Amino acid sequence: MILPKANKLSPAQLAEVTGIVAEFGCRIQPIVGAIRTIYAIVGDERDELMISRLEGLDYIDRIDRIQSPFKLMDIRSDLATHQIRIGGVTLGRELLVIAGLCTVDPKNPNFVYETAQAVKEAGGHVFRGGVWKPRTNPYAFQGDDKSLDILMEASRRTGLPVDTEVMDEDQLNLALAAGVPMLQVGARNALNYSLLRQIGAAVAGRPTVVLLKRSLHMGPISEFISAAEYIANFGNPNVILCPRGTAPALDGYRNHPDESIVPLLKEKTWAPVVIDPSHSVGKAAYVQSCALAAVAYGADGLCIEAHVQPSKGIGDDPKQAVTPDTLGNIIRLAKQIWALRRNAAVG
Ligand code: PEP
Ligand code: MN
C-alpha cells in the first residue's frame, strides 16, 4: 500500500509509480478515501527492489506492507480512518438505522410509500425494500423489475436513500441506473466471488455503499471480511458488514443469532457493522431484544424489517416485520444503549 505525502498522486506521479510496479508484475489500484487516496499494490508486493525504488520517490510518504488476507479492510490498514456516510449518518458517529419491507409488492405500492413514511417518522435513515428476492422455493414470488420504480418513488417522496439486494449483473446495472445508493449482497450470495467482483467493479468511482450480509453458514470471521475485500479492492471501500444469523438455527429461531461477533469483527476490521436482527431471529416478537443486544455488543447500526401492516405483506413480512410503533421503540431504546456505550467508552 503506497501512501503519498500529499492527499493524492498527480497523474504524472501515478504513471511513474504504475510503471515501476509493472516491472515487477504488479498493478496499482487507487482507493479513494474520504480524506485521501491510497494506492494498493495488486500482485506480489514483497519484492525488496520494487519497494526501495518506490520509497526512493520524494513524493512518497511510506509503503505499508500488511500481512493479511484482507489488507484493505484490516484494522491496521491506512483505510481504518475511512468514514462511510449514508442517510445523513456517518457510521460510527451515530447509530444507523436501515428499515423497511422484506419484499416490495408491486401490486400494493401504497404499502411501500406508507411504510417508507413510517420508517422516516420512526427515525430510520435508510429505507430498505427487496425488489428481487432470493427465495428457497422456486415457485415463490421472485421479485419484479417494476418494484424498482416503486422503491425509487418511495425514496423521492420521503427523501430517504434506499437499500435493495442485487443477485446478478442485470439487477446490479438496473439498480445503479435507477440511482440506488445502497446495494445489498444477500447471505446466499455472500461468497459468490464473481458477483462480489462485479459489484466491486461497478461501484468503483461512485459513492455507492454496499451492505454485505454474512453467509448462511457459520464460516470463519476472516472469510466474512475477505468477502468485503473482494468488493473494496476495485476502489470503493464503502462496505458495511451485516451479520444476520447463521445456520444451523437455534431451536425456535430462524437462524443462530450472531450479534455477539461484533467485538470480534471490531478487533480485526475497521468496517462498520450493522446487525440484521430480523433474519437472525425470524419472528417479529423477538426482533427488539436481538436489536438491543446487537447495540450493546457494539454494532454501528441495525437493519430491520418493518411494515405498516405486516399481515398484509409478502415475503418475510407477515412473520418477521415489526410495526412502525415497535420500530420507533427499538430506535429510541437502541439510541440510549448506543449513547451509554459511547459515554462509557466501551472498547
Ligand atoms: C433480506 O434482507 O430480505 C434477505 C433475503 O436477507 P438474507 O440475504 O440475509 O437472507
Ligand atoms: Mn427478508
Side-chain angles (χ1 to χ4, degrees), residues 102-103 128 133 254 279 305 315-317 320:
C102 170
T103 307
R128 59 155 288 156
K133 297 305 299 181
R254 177 170 175 175
H279 292 85
E305 287 185 344
D316 293 330
D317 287 328
Q320 225 163 260

Side-chain angles (χ1 to χ4, degrees), residues 101-103 128 130 133-134 165 184-188 213-214 216 244 254 276 279 303 305 316 320:
L101 307 159
C102 170
T103 307
R128 59 155 288 156
K133 297 305 299 181
E165 175 171 354
Q184 184 170 308
V185 179
R188 290 156 193 80
K213 297 279 192 100
R214 188 179 184 198
L216 280 173
R244 42 77 75 208
R254 177 170 175 175
D276 171 348
H279 292 85
C303 176
E305 287 185 344
D316 293 330
Q320 225 163 260

